[in-house]
Each structure stands twice: as C-alpha cells, then as structure tokens.
C-alpha cells in the first residue's frame, strides 16, 4: 500500500523506523503503522555466560572480530546493528558508548541489554494503545543463529535475553502501561485480552526521591472481554503534579510514577508499570536484599529495596526466573 510499497501508513509494511533508521521513539505514534510483518531488529546482547569468547576463554571485547561475527549487518552498508544500538545508548540513556565500553565494559554490556528491551517495550505499548491504529507486529526475530549479539530475543541455545522479559510484560493478556503524552500528562491504559470481564483495582503512586510516597490513589475498573480502557492520570489524582516533567517549574518533584493492576479481592498484583520522567545520568547505589524460599517444587526469590532500582537482574545458576530485568 501507499505511493511506494514500503510506506508504513497503508497496508502491511516492515517497520524499522525505531531501529535501523534511528528514528526517535515518538515516531511510532506518528508513523501510522497498520501491521508490521517485520519490525525493530536490534542487536540484542545475551546474558554474560552466552557471550562469545576468545581461544583463551576470556569474553571477546566488542571490537574483536570474534564478537563482530555475531553482530548482524545489512549487505554493503557502512554500519552494523551494534552501531544502531550505540546510537540509542547515546540518545536515550545519554552515555557515550565508545567511552563507556573503553572504561567500563561490564556497564556498557548491562546498559546495552536493557536498552533494546526498553525500546521494544515502549514501541509495543504505543502500538497496543487504544489511541493507535496499529494491529500488531512480528519481532525480527525469535532466536539467534550463532553466538553473539544477534537479532534474536533468545540466544542460540534458546535462553531468554533481556528483551524477552520486557516484551513478555508488554504483551501480557492483562496489562497496564503509562504513556507519556507530554503537556497532557500521563495516560494510564489497562488491557484485557481474555474472553471474560476484568474487574480490578488500578492504583497510582507518585514517589519522590525514589522512596517517599507523595500520592497514592486507587480506583475500581471494569473492562469487558478483549477490550481496553484509558484513564487520565491528572484526572485520577485531581491535582497538578507535572508527572511527565514537561512544564519544568523547578527540579522534578517525583521519581518515579507507578501504576498497578490489582486483584480487587486479594490485592495481589497482576501487572505493574513504572514511569521515570528523568533517567539518572549515572548509576546510583541501592540497598537491595534478597531471600530464597521454597514454594512447592519451585524456588522463590523475595526482593526488597529501600529506593527505586532500575532493571533488576536475577542470576541463578541452572535456573531461569519467570520474570527478570524489572524495576523495583
């Protein structure tokens, strides 16, 4: 469809605006994508024990040919998909990728893992919104064909990379999300893809300095089968908080904003969304505690944090967590 078959606003069209063509994330709201048979295509860094290694057994640095063999590229182009990821590291996270991988390779790899997951989640949350015309998209692609930072959201052995968990949350049948609408504030959206009515509590928390709750409001919602509902966060709170930090009347007064979808009877949390108006420019120490408990045949890890912790990663030998790379 369209004047040219690859125009994204009509019919089926591959979409790499966010991705290979380095468009800002807001492009997914204006592009008018109807359905994407291919989309995104990021060089996704695998977990540490799946990184390519040299003959010595040491992890290959990103500039080494052994590493580059696992990085996808388009034929004849002067860039590869690691260059694309580094572009978004600079524009989204505000770090210099060359400087970071030279001075702190471990942090470069950690940020690279979560970056592509966050971008994929944000794209699909916008596409899933009731205000968007998109009917869906197919990720390019599921599983790597060789060891390294390939397109897959699973590595060569089939183990999840970080984007797998971000997409699992974005695609959940019962989902809640916070969408940045600039001067119009935050939009709270709840989706119910199940074939039964969803009765739930929506809870909104505004948190200052990562640990002090300055507002906490809850409301009952009822959503029909295969339906969604949007709530205006400003109307929800009943007063002005500048939740998106768009007006900038002095320093930001909150960090973060949290929306939760709760069982109205037991209070159990079905889904959670966290919005941070300003990402910190440097890592901040957070006091995390963990305890392991037996739950039938499974193990449970109980985590607690005194303040906001971004993209918490659980690493347990010989086990895979049901959720990972979450904000706590």
């Amino acid at each position: 469809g369209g004047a040219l078959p690859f125009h994204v606003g009509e019919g089926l069209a591959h979409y790499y605006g966010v991705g290979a063509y380095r468009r800002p994330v807001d492009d997914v709201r204006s592009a008018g994508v109807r359905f994407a048979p291919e989309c995104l295509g990021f060089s996704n860094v695998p977990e540490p024990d799946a990184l390519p290694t040299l003959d010595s057994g040491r992890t290959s640095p990103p500039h080494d040919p052994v590493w580059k063999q696992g990085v996808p590229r388009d034929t004849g182009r002067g860039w590869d998909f690691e260059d694309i990821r580094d572009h978004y590291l600079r524009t989204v996270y505000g770090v210099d990728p060359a400087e970071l991988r030279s001075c702190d390779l471990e942090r470069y790899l950690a940020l690279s893992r979560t970056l592509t997951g966050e971008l994929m989640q944000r794209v699909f949350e916008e596409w899933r919104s009731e205000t968007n015309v998109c009917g869906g998209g197919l990720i390019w692609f599921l599983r790597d064909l060789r060891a390294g930072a390939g397109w897959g959201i699973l590595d060569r052995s089939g183990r999840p990379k970080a984007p797998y968990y971000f997409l699992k949350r974005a695609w959940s049948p019962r989902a809640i999300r916070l969408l940045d609408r600039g001067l119009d504030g935050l939009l709270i959206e709840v989706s119910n893809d199940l074939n039964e009515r969803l009765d739930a509590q929506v809870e909104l928390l505004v948190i200052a300095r990562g640990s002090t709750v300055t507002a906490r409001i809850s409301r009952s919602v009822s959503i029909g089968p295969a339906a969604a509902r949007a709530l205006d966060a400003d109307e929800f709170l009943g007063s002005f908080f500048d939740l998106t930090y768009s007006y900038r009347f002095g320093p930001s007064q909150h960090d973060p904003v949290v929306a939760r979808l709760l069982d109205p009877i037991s209070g159990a949390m079905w889904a959670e969304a966290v919005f941070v108006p300003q990402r910190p420019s440097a890592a901040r120490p957070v006091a995390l505690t963990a305890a392991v408990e037996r739950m039938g045949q499974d193990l449970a890890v109980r985590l607690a944090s005194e303040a906001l912790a971004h993209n918490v990663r659980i690493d347990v030998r010989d086990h895979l967590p049901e959720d990972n790379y979450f904000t706590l």
Side-chain angles (χ1 to χ4, degrees), residues 9-327:
E10 296 184 40
L12 304 182
H14 298 172
Y15 178 77
Y16 294 99
V18 177
Y21 308 130
R22 297 182 293 178
R23 304 290 296 173
V25 179
D26 286 348
D27 187 69
V28 297
R29 291 179 57 196
S30 59
V33 177
R34 301 288 174 165
F35 187 88
E38 295 178 16
C39 66
L40 301 175
F42 285 106
S43 171
N44 297 312
V45 176
E47 296 295 275
D49 58 355
L51 294 172
T53 55
L54 303 172
D55 291 338
S56 62
R58 184 170 57 88
T59 298
S60 169
H63 65 272
D64 192 275
V66 172
W67 176 281
K68 284 297 187 182
Q69 286 175 5
V71 176
R73 59 186 54 81
D74 284 341
T75 303
R77 302 280 71 82
W79 49 269
D80 61 26
F81 281 81
E82 191 151 63
D83 296 322
I84 300 303
R85 191 183 67 238
D86 282 352
H87 164 79
Y88 286 104
L89 270 177
R90 182 179 294 107
T91 58
V92 176
Y93 280 1
V95 299
D96 183 331
E99 179 72 16
L100 187 60
R101 66 173 176 258
S102 299
C103 301
D104 191 345
L105 179 58
E106 185 176 349
R107 180 160 173 77
Y108 169 79
L109 294 174
L111 292 182
S112 296
R113 289 185 186 99
T114 62
L115 170 79
T116 56
E118 286 192 31
L119 287 172
M120 289 184 178
Q121 180 177 351
R122 289 171 64 182
V123 166
F124 271 92
E125 284 181 338
E126 286 289 351
W127 278 348
R128 201 175 177 187
S129 169
E130 288 295 285
T131 62
N132 200 294
V133 298
C134 185
L138 303 180
I139 286 289
W140 185 264
F141 50 66
L142 178 63
R143 183 169 172 173
D144 284 346
L145 303 179
R146 65 192 309 166
W151 280 314
I153 60 173
L154 306 178
D155 67 21
R156 186 183 183 186
S157 68
R159 290 175 297 181
K161 301 183 191 179
Y164 170 92
Y165 295 101
F166 286 91
L167 288 170
K168 181 181 177 181
R169 291 189 288 268
W171 293 344
S172 175
R174 289 174 172 170
I176 191 168
R177 51 194 169 271
L178 290 167
L179 302 178
D180 185 346
R181 293 300 179 251
L183 296 176
D184 285 342
L186 282 179
L187 191 65
I188 309 167
E189 281 206 348
V190 180
S191 291
N192 174 33
D193 284 355
L194 303 179
N195 291 321
E196 58 188 34
R197 176 171 293 278
L198 173 64
D199 294 311
Q201 286 287 121
V202 172
E203 182 180 62
L204 186 68
L205 294 88
V206 182
I207 301 175
R209 298 174 297 280
S211 59
T212 303
V213 177
T214 58
R216 188 178 203 139
I217 307 292
S218 64
R219 178 181 296 180
S220 298
V221 296
S222 185
I223 303 171
R229 184 174 175 185
L231 303 167
D232 188 296
D234 288 335
E235 189 272 334
F236 206 83
L237 292 167
S239 58
F240 176 71
F241 276 83
D242 192 14
L243 296 178
T244 59
Y245 194 47
S246 297
Y247 292 86
R248 299 179 183 270
F249 296 150
S252 178
Q253 299 299 307
H254 50 269
D255 177 19
V257 181
V258 181
R260 291 174 177 155
L261 188 66
L262 307 174
D263 185 312
I265 299 174
S266 68
M269 187 170 68
W270 288 327
E272 183 180 55
V274 180
F275 175 80
V276 180
Q278 281 194 306
R279 180 175 296 278
S281 58
R284 297 183 298 195
V286 174
L288 277 172
T289 60
V292 180
E293 305 170 358
R294 174 71 68 180
M295 291 184 62
Q297 298 299 313
D298 297 325
L299 295 175
V301 180
R302 185 177 298 277
L303 295 171
S305 174
E306 296 178 357
L308 176 69
H310 287 284
N311 299 327
V312 177
R313 174 177 172 266
I314 298 174
D315 183 11
V316 184
R317 187 179 61 190
D318 301 327
H319 289 75
L320 284 176
E322 64 178 352
D323 194 14
N324 215 354
Y325 291 97
F326 48 82
T327 299

